[in-house]
Amino acid sequence: MDFNFSDEQNQLRRSIREFAEGEIAPHVMEWDEVSHFPSEIIPKLAEMGLLGVIFPEEYGGAGLGYIEYVIAIEELSRVDGSVGIIVAAHNSLCSNHIFKFGSEEQKQKYLSPLAQGKKIGAWSLTEPEAGSDAGGTRTTATRDSNHWIINGAKTFTTNGHYADVCVAMAVTDKSKNSHGISAFIVEKGTPGFQPGKKENKLGMRASDTSEVIFSDCRIPQENLLGNEGEGFIGSFKILDGGRISIAALALGMAQGALDAAVKYAKQRKQFGQAISEFQAIQFKLADMATEVEAARLLVYQAAWLADQKDVRFTRESSMAKLFASEVAVRVANECVQIHGGYGFIKDYPAEKFYRDVKLCTIGEGTSEIQKLVIARQLLGKK
Ligand SMILES: Cc1cc2nc3c(=O)[nH]c(=O)nc-3n(C[C@H](O)[C@H](O)[C@H](O)COP(=O)(O)OP(=O)(O)OC[C@H]3O[C@@H](n4cnc5c(N)ncnc54)[C@H](O)[C@@H]3O)c2cc1C
């Protein structure tokens, strides 16, 4: 068993860290304050291959695997979780759904520009009445000769306002329940398709989270993604990979919070010495570092499994997501505590990590839902 990263993987990590610290870090507080979507860094993310990490070069991707993908999300999120989630929703939800279930024509037409970062992707499963219970999807798609007509509203779609391509789930046969839900590719500018309310959020404020509205949105029949009725099952396969990216997002923010806490503890003096000299602070740092490392092992194990051929990794990706996101919340909490009053103000990164990490225990399935997934696997239930 070899826990070392290859030279190429270490080099990838160094180059993303350099980019994140040089070109993202100086702006994060300003972007957060005004909820600015950082369109200006999209071309650079594309140039670095980060908008098509896991896709083959023949489709314009970087031709790398989940290990490299996790390195990318971890390093971006160590500096800004918002950039991490923008990249994650684009890669492992929207683009990956097309890669895994799309026809060759769909891959050429939609995946190639997405993987090259010429277009941005979004993925809409959640609805106001269908969150954890995605089988309760109400958006409908009705066949009309060689078209589909979509009606309904999605909520909480990451990149909703900025996406050129949206993969959306809709009911095509109500009588079949979850087996009557299908996936569709909808392009920006299609009449009847428009982003709605942009959410004003606790954290991840530089990422866009929006409603997506379909009103008599007519799309060609060839925009059905995968087989009719398999959109719900397909979504769960996509979430297996997506959850690894949320785990990586949590890991990166936890590492960022730990680094900030160590730095501050060494600088801050009270009672005539650095607070890092107090055993109470040392114990906090030791617990934080140990938990981050344990999370890292689970996240990279899940990524390694995802890179193997024909291996199911539902359980491992849920475990990584559950553990890393709960660790990130605890570590960000301790980071604020170590900063004392300065952890509560916006001159230090602690308060932003504290706000941003909470999303990781909710997005792509809450911690409670991850436990249900893990238990189902343990008990041999479908
Ligand atoms: C910033 C952000 C970005 C997002 N991006 C996307 C995106 O790009 N695409 C997309 O489709 N969705 C996205 N989501 C939606 C996200 O996946 C859902 O919010 C999440 O799945 C939970 O659904 P819900 O919010 O409706 O909560 P609910 O399902 O209403 O859950 C409320 C509470 O009840 C608990 N609960 C529900 N069912 C059970 C159960 N069976 N057993 C035990 N407890 C249960 C939950 O754990 C939670 O604590 C995003 C959300 C946010 C906040």
Side-chain angles (χ1 to χ4, degrees), residues 110 148 164 185-194 213-220 223:
Y110 298 108
W148 291 95
D164 304 287
I185 303 172
V186 187
E187 286 182 73
K188 187 178 190 168
T190 307
F193 168 65
Q194 60 177 49
I213 297 162
F214 301 92
S215 30
D216 287 332
C217 172
R218 177 182 279 265
I219 57 167
N223 281 27

XYZ file of all heavy atoms in Angstrom, residues 110 148 164 185-194 213-220 223:
182
model
N -21.993 18.935 -26.019
C -22.087 19.611 -24.711
C -20.872 19.376 -23.808
O -20.397 20.304 -23.161
C -23.360 19.168 -23.968
C -24.615 19.544 -24.710
C -25.385 18.576 -25.349
C -25.020 20.873 -24.792
C -26.534 18.924 -26.046
C -26.173 21.233 -25.484
C -26.923 20.249 -26.112
O -28.052 20.606 -26.801
N -39.709 17.726 -26.180
C -40.173 17.581 -24.803
C -40.554 18.972 -24.318
O -39.851 19.949 -24.632
C -39.075 17.038 -23.894
C -38.699 15.615 -24.155
C -37.676 15.164 -24.940
C -39.334 14.455 -23.610
N -37.634 13.794 -24.929
C -38.637 13.335 -24.109
C -40.420 14.251 -22.754
C -38.988 12.022 -23.782
C -40.767 12.954 -22.426
C -40.067 11.847 -22.935
N -24.371 27.755 -18.876
C -24.762 27.704 -20.295
C -25.519 26.416 -20.565
O -26.293 26.335 -21.514
C -23.502 27.717 -21.174
C -22.636 28.920 -20.882
O -23.026 30.022 -21.282
O -21.577 28.757 -20.217
N -31.019 17.706 -21.025
C -30.025 18.777 -21.181
C -30.758 19.998 -21.719
O -31.428 19.931 -22.755
C -28.925 18.375 -22.188
C -28.239 17.078 -21.752
C -27.911 19.514 -22.343
C -27.267 16.512 -22.788
N -30.643 21.116 -20.989
C -31.306 22.347 -21.413
C -30.238 23.431 -21.576
O -29.395 23.626 -20.692
C -32.370 22.809 -20.388
C -33.161 23.983 -20.934
C -33.311 21.658 -20.028
N -30.297 24.123 -22.718
C -29.297 25.169 -22.981
C -29.813 26.540 -22.576
O -31.008 26.835 -22.744
C -28.982 25.214 -24.476
C -28.135 24.072 -24.945
C -27.816 24.221 -26.434
O -26.995 25.083 -26.779
O -28.421 23.469 -27.231
N -28.897 27.354 -22.089
C -29.217 28.744 -21.769
C -29.809 29.405 -23.022
O -29.362 29.142 -24.145
C -27.905 29.461 -21.410
C -28.070 30.863 -20.904
C -26.679 31.401 -20.554
C -26.773 32.698 -19.809
N -25.481 33.070 -19.221
N -30.776 30.224 -22.842
C -31.369 30.929 -23.983
C -32.565 30.205 -24.578
O -33.271 30.763 -25.426
N -32.807 28.950 -24.160
C -33.982 28.242 -24.663
C -35.222 28.953 -24.123
O -35.321 29.177 -22.908
C -33.994 26.771 -24.167
O -32.754 26.162 -24.496
C -35.139 25.985 -24.782
N -36.157 29.323 -25.002
C -37.357 30.001 -24.493
C -38.055 29.157 -23.422
O -38.151 27.940 -23.554
C -38.240 30.156 -25.749
C -37.282 30.113 -26.894
C -36.174 29.192 -26.473
N -38.488 29.826 -22.339
C -39.177 29.110 -21.259
C -38.239 28.579 -20.195
O -38.679 27.962 -19.227
N -36.936 28.815 -20.379
C -35.949 28.360 -19.382
C -35.232 29.587 -18.838
O -34.599 30.321 -19.592
C -34.941 27.418 -20.051
C -33.719 27.113 -19.213
C -33.833 26.425 -18.020
C -32.448 27.495 -19.638
C -32.702 26.134 -17.257
C -31.315 27.202 -18.885
C -31.442 26.522 -17.702
N -35.384 29.824 -17.528
C -34.678 30.982 -16.976
C -34.348 30.810 -15.496
O -35.111 30.182 -14.752
C -35.483 32.258 -17.177
C -36.834 32.202 -16.507
C -37.562 33.528 -16.673
O -37.648 34.053 -17.783
N -38.075 34.060 -15.582
N -36.281 28.015 -13.495
C -37.706 27.907 -13.809
C -37.921 27.449 -15.263
O -37.260 27.943 -16.184
C -38.394 29.271 -13.571
C -38.257 29.614 -12.076
C -39.866 29.254 -13.987
C -38.491 31.055 -11.764
N -38.828 26.498 -15.412
C -39.196 26.004 -16.742
C -40.665 26.311 -16.962
O -41.520 25.831 -16.209
C -39.009 24.487 -16.830
C -37.602 24.023 -16.562
C -37.203 23.665 -15.281
C -36.672 23.949 -17.594
C -35.918 23.242 -15.025
C -35.375 23.527 -17.345
C -34.992 23.177 -16.057
N -40.976 27.136 -17.967
C -42.386 27.330 -18.287
C -42.597 27.082 -19.780
O -42.108 27.845 -20.614
C -42.892 28.713 -17.865
O -41.877 29.653 -17.922
N -43.253 25.961 -20.047
C -43.431 25.491 -21.421
C -42.115 25.557 -22.183
O -42.050 26.064 -23.308
C -44.518 26.316 -22.143
C -45.909 25.957 -21.642
O -46.097 24.802 -21.198
O -46.789 26.843 -21.670
N -41.097 25.046 -21.571
C -39.753 25.067 -22.176
C -39.652 23.881 -23.147
O -39.698 22.723 -22.730
C -38.700 24.978 -21.079
S -37.041 24.775 -21.705
N -39.516 24.197 -24.408
C -39.557 23.166 -25.451
C -38.123 22.829 -25.890
O -37.398 23.704 -26.357
C -40.372 23.716 -26.634
C -40.466 22.818 -27.847
C -41.265 23.540 -28.933
N -42.678 23.412 -28.684
C -43.446 22.467 -29.229
N -42.924 21.610 -30.075
N -44.717 22.399 -28.942
N -37.752 21.570 -25.691
C -36.404 21.154 -26.106
C -36.518 19.968 -27.054
O -37.479 19.201 -26.982
C -35.514 20.778 -24.892
C -36.164 19.674 -24.052
C -35.199 21.995 -24.030
C -35.219 19.040 -23.051
N -35.541 19.810 -27.962
C -35.624 18.697 -28.916
C -35.549 17.343 -28.212
O -34.921 17.236 -27.153
C -34.397 18.906 -29.822
C -33.640 20.053 -29.292
C -34.368 20.655 -28.138
N -32.457 15.803 -26.635
C -31.852 16.316 -25.399
C -32.223 15.507 -24.160
O -31.840 15.852 -23.049
C -32.217 17.790 -25.181
C -31.364 18.690 -26.046
O -30.906 18.259 -27.100
N -31.138 19.920 -25.626
